[in-house]
Structure formats: C-alpha cells, structure tokens
Amino acid sequence: MWPKINSKEYDIICVGDLCADLIIPYGQAKSAIDNIKHDPTNINEQKVSFRSGGSVGNTAKVLGKLKQNPIFITNVGNDRVGQFLKQEMENNNVNMHFSTTTDSGSIVCIAVLDHSGDRTMFTWIPPWSALDHYTSDSFPKELYKKPAIVFSSGMSLTNNIESGNALLDFFKGMKENQSILVFDLNIRAESYGYQTGRRQLFEQVLEYTDIILGSGIEEFGQITGKINMKEAVESMAGKDRCIIARDGGNPVLVQEGYTQTTVETEPVTPVNTVGAGDTFDAAFLMALREGHNIRDCVAFANRIAGYMISKEEHLAIPDNIHDMVPTE
C-alpha cells in the first residue's frame, strides 16, 4: 500500500524530548538485600545509571547508531546535564544544528525497575527547568525546502498549547511538501494528563499523520475510548493511513488503509526494556527510508528491538545490522 521512497532524497527529522534518565534497579536491589539476609557473603551490588533519554531523544540516538544521521530539533538545558546530553547525541551521529539551548535547566526522567525489569516512569521537572517549548522560530524555513521523513511523539504535546500549535504548523507545512509524517502516541497520561487542550492537539496532529505508532491499549484506548486493541486500531483506520500497534510480546498489529494484519515479535528473553519502543521506532524509520514496505519495516523493527531488550547495554544494536534488513 505504502509508496516506496528514494532514501537518498529524504532526511529524517526528529522533533521532541531530550532528557537525562536515572535508572533505578529497585527490584534487583530489593532481591540483593533479601539475599544478604540469608547469606551475608552474597553481595550483589546495584547502581543507579545516568544516561541520555527522552522518547524522541532515544529514537534519534539509535538512528544515529544506525548511521542515518538524523536532524534533531529539541530544547537543550543550559546546565552540565544539557552539555552532556548534546555531546552524547553528537557522539552518536545526531545533527544538533537546529536544536536550541534554553535559559532553563534539564529535565530528568526516573525509571524504577521491578524484579522482572519492567519500569515505572516518573518525570521530574526541577523548579529551574521547563518542558520543551516550540515556536515558529524552532523550525527554520530551510527545513521546508525539500520533503523529509518527520518523526515526533506525544511527549512533544504537553499542556503548553502555544508550543503544540507550533509543532502542528510544522507538520502542516511539511505535509504540503510531500513529507512523510510519523507520530508515536507516547501519551504518558500519568505524567501529563490528557485534558481537553492536549487531547485536541493530539487529534489535530494525528489528522495530518501518515503513520501512527503506539504501544498497548493504554495508549490506543486513550485515543479511541475502546478497551480492545484490535477494535481500537480499526477505529483509527483511514484510506491513506498506516497504524502500527505494539503490544509487548504479542504480534504487532499492522493497519494499512482498511486492511489489518499482524507481524510476529522476536522470541527473546527480556533483560532490559527501557527504550524498547524508541529502538523499534528508529529501526522502523531506517527501513522506511530505505524503501521497504510497511510489514517489512515492522519485521525489521521487531528484530532490532528484540535484540535490544535481550542485552544489558543501553540501546544496544547488533553489529550485523545490514544482514537483518528485509530483502525482497
């Protein structure tokens, strides 16, 4: 269904959040304490990890590791953390030329991992920090000169309506020049709510979006009011719209126009799930840029995300990446 594109003519432009991640291995630390109670010599030291994060930040970083050299439009804090984050992106082949250093400090996302490695996320916005704020100046005219693959996520649509409207205007302008617009729902209602203003921004952005990505009924249910994943995805279908619905280890639902199919996930044992969806998005965008059909893009994304969650390394990708690209 989806028309192939000439990868050489399309940049990937990512718009969204970049923050520091604090990873707290609460489950493993709790187990370590319990083990010490039974055997004082059995010491398994646990440490908090500090690294770059953000949903779009992770996607941009993985795209850079995949040699896609994405353009990243984000706000960078004016503190030591912001300097670290910007350098981390640039070290991984991410073009930060269009990002803006603000007068505010950096935001920290705190991931608390349970015994199984599943995470609960908390966003900490210090008094000296602020959420990303976009204006028309955030999107220079030179970006509109040629079509691109434009990627963003729900983390870019907070309760700041002015900022959300600036992103919406960018989507509208890029749609007019035949760009492909890709949006990951990533609602995070538990952190930002989903009240009238934010909900309306989502509805308007999705109206222009060509490919919608998302995870679980907790996201698709918020958008549609449905409690069944298949029905929720079907209700969002449109003639020229693709919807990719992840659901943990279950098959990925793929809605192309009014046809729904599934693509199996990789049979792996999860070790680290932080950034799994972001890694999926990056691999999907890479395959899309190289001209593969939607189902092959999803299959490739499943392989790369499956590899990532089976490794301890943050946002790990395999060395033989090109051997895993779909072939026709």
Side-chain angles (χ1 to χ4, degrees):
M1 172 228 175
W2 194 259
K4 291 187 176 181
I5 61 175
N6 184 339
S7 63
K8 300 300 183 184
E9 296 180 359
Y10 280 68
D11 288 324
I12 298 178
I13 302 175
C14 298
V15 184
D17 54 316
L18 174 65
C19 65
D21 276 358
L22 280 181
I23 312 299
I24 301 176
Y26 170 78
Q28 292 184 8
K30 189 74 166 55
S31 295
I33 293 172
D34 292 339
N35 291 336
I36 291 173
K37 291 178 180 178
H38 294 92
D39 180 2
T41 65
N42 184 6
I43 301 175
N44 184 12
E45 182 182 3
Q46 300 296 316
K47 295 182 179 180
V48 172
S49 300
F50 176 82
R51 58 204 189 197
S52 64
S55 62
V56 180
N58 283 339
T59 297
K61 184 175 180 178
V62 176
L63 280 167
K65 295 174 76 171
L66 293 171
K67 310 303 181 185
Q68 299 302 299
N69 304 106
I71 295 170
F72 190 17
I73 300 173
T74 189
N75 289 177
V76 180
N78 67 344
D79 50 17
R80 293 281 298 273
V81 174
Q83 294 170 13
F84 164 79
L85 294 173
K86 183 177 181 182
Q87 190 63 59
E88 185 74 4
M89 291 294 110
E90 292 176 338
N91 289 346
N92 284 278
N93 308 304
V94 177
N95 181 348
M96 297 293 286
H97 175 73
F98 296 98
S99 292
T100 303
T101 299
T102 70
D103 293 330
S104 302
S106 301
I107 293 173
V108 178
C109 284
I110 304 168
V112 181
L113 308 185
D114 64 16
H115 292 81
S116 65
D118 288 338
R119 69 191 186 279
T120 301
M121 298 293 294
F122 300 89
T123 301
W124 181 48
I125 307 174
W128 53 87
S129 301
L131 293 170
D132 285 355
H133 179 81
Y134 301 106
T135 68
S136 58
D137 292 337
S138 303
F139 308 103
K141 292 182 179 179
E142 62 186 282
L143 294 175
Y144 296 89
K145 291 181 178 179
K146 64 176 184 176
I149 297 173
V150 180
F151 173 76
S152 190
S153 88
M155 294 287 284
S156 303
L157 299 178
T158 62
N159 293 305
N160 184 333
I161 306 304
E162 179 185 354
S163 176
N165 282 330
L167 176 61
L168 176 61
D169 288 341
F170 180 60
F171 260 48
K172 290 179 180 178
M174 295 302 285
K175 184 79 169 182
E176 290 176 359
N177 76 2
Q178 305 303 308
S179 291
I180 297 174
L181 307 184
V182 185
F183 190 82
D184 191 309
L185 296 178
N186 219 338
I187 297 175
R188 297 282 176 86
E190 71 280 6
S191 295
Y192 303 109
Y194 196 54
Q195 306 306 317
T196 302
R198 190 172 186 232
R199 180 185 294 272
Q200 289 176 345
L201 281 174
F202 267 82
E203 292 171 350
Q204 291 173 303
V205 167
L206 292 179
E207 181 180 343
Y208 290 91
T209 300
D210 299 299
I211 303 174
I212 299 171
L213 301 156
S215 296
I217 193 61
E218 62 271 21
E219 290 188 347
F220 285 96
Q222 287 280 341
I223 295 291
T224 65
K226 306 287 186 182
I227 60 174
N228 177 276
M229 188 75 145
K230 186 174 185 294
E231 292 177 0
V233 172
E234 285 178 343
S235 71
M236 296 176 67
K239 178 177 178 293
D240 298 315
R241 172 183 280 180
C242 295
I243 303 168
I244 314 300
R246 303 177 295 258
D247 190 20
N250 296 321
V252 177
L253 291 178
V254 179
Q255 185 85 32
E256 296 185 74
Y258 299 105
T259 301
Q260 188 176 107
T261 59
T262 61
V263 177
E264 294 293 326
T265 56
E266 294 294 294
V268 299
T269 300
V271 174
N272 168 31
T273 62
V274 178
D278 307 327
T279 299
F280 178 101
D281 288 351
F284 178 89
L285 293 169
M286 172 184 170
L288 180 71
R289 188 187 193 200
E290 294 189 354
H292 297 285
N293 65 55
I294 291 294
R295 284 180 53 81
D296 283 347
C297 291
V298 172
F300 177 65
N302 278 342
R303 293 186 196 115
I304 304 307
Y307 178 90
M308 188 236 97
I309 66 174
S310 69
K311 304 297 179 182
E312 289 283 358
E313 178 189 346
H314 179 47
L315 303 179
I317 61 170
D319 294 331
N320 61 332
I321 189 75
H322 289 287
D323 294 338
M324 305 172 75
V325 175
T327 56
E328 300 182 9

